[in-house]
Amino acid sequence: MSEFIVSEEPFKLGLVEKVPNPQDGECFLLCQSGAGAQNSMLINCGVKYSSAEVRHGHYNQKITLSLEEKLFHQNDRVIMEDRDFHFDIVIKMSYSIQDVRMYFFQGRMEEEDISHTVRNVIRQQDGKWNAWEDIELQNALENEIEKRLKQYEGVRFRRLEVLVTPEEEAAKMRESNKKKTVGIHVSKNETDEQIARNEQAERVADSEQKLKMKQISDMALMWQNFGNMGSVVDEYLKGNMDGKELYDYLVRARSEKMGMLQTAVAGDMLTQKEMMEKLNEIFANNEFMQGVGQKQLPGNDEKKLEEKSRKNLEGDRKNEEEKVSESDQMKEAAPVTDGDYIP
């Protein structure tokens, strides 16, 4: 007996008989013996049919079929690749008649057909998979079972579920290897992290060294361009003093030198010739103006300082020469006292 066929019996509808009505969850298929689906009539539960139409069909066979959904459940196993272990397999699904005529005339199946089909699919997977390929095996079983079940026409298969689990000993082996692998990865990650920290520290140290060398190079350039005024000009270039402050500093520095020269002259520490040489040296040795030609100051401050310095240079030179001349005249015009001989 086929999976969904409840009974098969001869049929003849008398002149006064009514069309039989199947019970809930079943249907009748009326047909002629040896004829195909074209010479058949389907009788469903709760539907009224014409007796004349049934008698006109000359049907002589009545097949009762179940329309209820059936459940399939099967346990099996797949031998692993190394033959020492296996996967436990559980197959579940539901199925029911979708097209009664197609099922009866073309896709009729026996009660063991589905179980046999599933078992054949499972046996084809023996020895192909290792202990870590349970997901791959599951996908392979699902695809192959769905393809094989299409041979049963008129039947609808639903909710196919394939569960693949390694046996207990294989699961222990996987867990042991997993812990080893995780330990290796953790060790590797910690080593990589330490290497990354060391490389970052090296980059920071290298950057700091480059910064120090640049600062030294910049300061050396300042001293090369501006002499002992290098540190002052550097402060100006960094914006720590404005142009007026820089100029005032230059004037103070020159005034200090002039004061030292006047002291030396007043104490007869220098001859007139040496005094004039030092005076020319002070006004000629304008370190800031020398440096302008080598490294330009930002903005227009150097132009303002240069103009102001030149104007004051001429005035200061004139004033200092006058002071020195007055000092010389005082030394030459000594006072005459009584008794001195004047030729």
Side-chain angles (χ1 to χ4, degrees):
M1 185 69 66
S2 295
E3 180 76 7
F4 293 99
I5 296 177
V6 178
S7 63
E8 293 185 51
E9 57 185 308
F11 175 77
K12 182 177 180 180
L13 186 64
L15 294 175
V16 295
E17 291 180 321
K18 293 182 179 180
V19 177
N21 188 32
Q23 64 183 15
D24 189 27
E26 293 183 346
C27 69
F28 295 148
L29 181 63
L30 306 179
C31 60
Q32 298 176 4
S33 298
Q38 296 297 327
N39 295 318
S40 65
M41 184 175 182
L42 184 63
I43 306 297
N44 289 308
C45 176
V47 180
K48 292 184 178 181
Y49 297 90
S50 168
S51 299
E53 181 181 0
V54 172
R55 283 192 291 270
H56 183 72
H58 303 289
Y59 306 120
N60 60 4
Q61 189 174 14
K62 184 181 75 171
I63 299 96
T64 303
L65 298 102
S66 172
L67 300 177
E68 293 183 350
E69 186 175 68
K70 297 182 179 294
L71 299 177
F72 177 85
H73 182 282
Q74 182 168 317
N75 297 329
D76 211 319
R77 61 178 54 179
V78 170
I79 304 301
M80 292 187 186
E81 188 176 39
D82 57 9
R83 301 290 175 174
D84 292 330
F85 303 104
H86 67 266
F87 291 105
D88 291 318
I89 309 297
V90 178
I91 308 294
K92 296 179 182 180
M93 72 181 94
S94 63
Y95 58 100
S96 59
I97 290 182
Q98 186 176 27
D99 189 316
V100 173
R101 288 188 175 90
M102 182 178 291
Y103 169 78
F104 183 79
F105 292 103
Q106 300 178 32
R108 186 186 300 194
M109 63 183 185
E110 301 299 329
E111 293 180 1
E112 298 297 325
D113 285 349
I114 297 178
S115 179
H116 181 71
T117 298
V118 170
R119 189 178 296 109
N120 285 342
V121 171
I122 292 175
R123 291 286 69 79
Q124 290 178 357
Q125 306 304 319
D126 283 337
K128 293 183 177 181
W129 310 95
N130 62 47
W132 291 267
E133 295 178 321
D134 49 329
I135 301 300
E136 291 80 358
L137 173 57
Q138 176 181 321
N139 293 334
L141 288 172
E142 289 177 353
N143 294 335
E144 189 62 24
I145 290 173
E146 288 178 353
K147 184 171 66 175
R148 294 290 187 90
L149 293 177
K150 289 180 180 180
Q151 64 180 303
Y152 303 114
E153 297 185 79
V155 180
R156 180 186 182 186
F157 294 91
R158 302 176 59 195
R159 297 188 294 274
L160 173 62
E161 181 180 344
V162 179
L163 181 62
V164 178
T165 307
E167 64 165 304
E168 184 177 356
E169 293 302 320
K172 290 180 180 179
M173 180 190 69
R174 287 189 0 167
E175 185 65 22
S176 176
N177 289 346
K178 180 180 178 181
K179 289 180 180 179
K180 292 179 182 178
T181 302
V182 169
I184 293 173
H185 282 301
V186 169
S187 178
K188 181 178 182 298
N189 290 340
E190 290 177 350
T191 301
D192 291 344
E193 184 178 353
Q194 183 61 45
I195 291 174
R197 286 198 296 267
N198 292 342
E199 291 177 348
Q200 178 65 13
E202 290 177 0
R203 288 195 294 269
V204 171
D206 184 60
S207 177
E208 291 178 349
Q209 182 65 21
K210 288 181 179 179
L211 178 59
K212 291 178 181 178
M213 294 303 296
K214 184 178 185 304
Q215 292 173 340
I216 293 173
S217 176
D218 290 346
M219 183 54 68
L221 182 62
M222 285 294 176
W223 281 95
Q224 177 183 349
N225 286 344
F226 302 103
N228 56 11
M229 293 293 295
S231 59
V232 179
V233 177
D234 184 52
E235 290 296 308
Y236 171 74
L237 293 177
K238 290 179 179 178
N240 296 331
M241 66 167 56
D242 56 24
K244 182 178 182 303
E245 291 173 330
L246 178 59
Y247 174 77
D248 291 342
Y249 185 93
L250 295 174
V251 171
R252 280 199 309 273
R254 192 166 57 197
S255 297
E256 290 175 358
K257 292 182 179 181
M258 291 300 302
M260 294 173 61
L261 179 60
Q262 290 176 4
T263 301
V265 171
D268 292 331
M269 299 171 63
L270 297 174
T271 65
Q272 182 175 5
K273 180 180 180 182
E274 290 174 337
M275 177 273 297
M276 293 304 296
E277 290 176 352
K278 290 293 183 182
L279 181 62
N280 290 330
E281 181 180 341
I282 291 173
F283 285 97
N285 187 22
N286 191 343
E287 294 150 337
F288 172 73
M289 298 311 299
Q290 288 176 344
V292 170
Q294 299 179 34
K295 182 175 181 66
Q296 293 295 322
L297 297 176
N300 295 322
D301 289 337
E302 72 279 359
K303 294 181 180 179
K304 297 177 182 177
L305 289 173
E306 184 178 6
E307 293 174 0
K308 190 171 184 180
S309 179
R310 287 173 179 170
K311 291 178 181 180
N312 286 279
L313 182 63
E314 296 175 358
D316 292 345
R317 182 191 295 274
K318 185 175 181 180
N319 292 335
E320 295 303 330
E321 288 178 350
E322 290 175 354
K323 290 180 181 179
V324 172
S325 296
E326 291 175 358
S327 176
D328 289 343
Q329 290 174 5
M330 289 176 64
K331 288 199 288 184
E332 292 176 358
V336 179
T337 61
D338 295 338
D340 289 339
Y341 173 72
I342 302 174

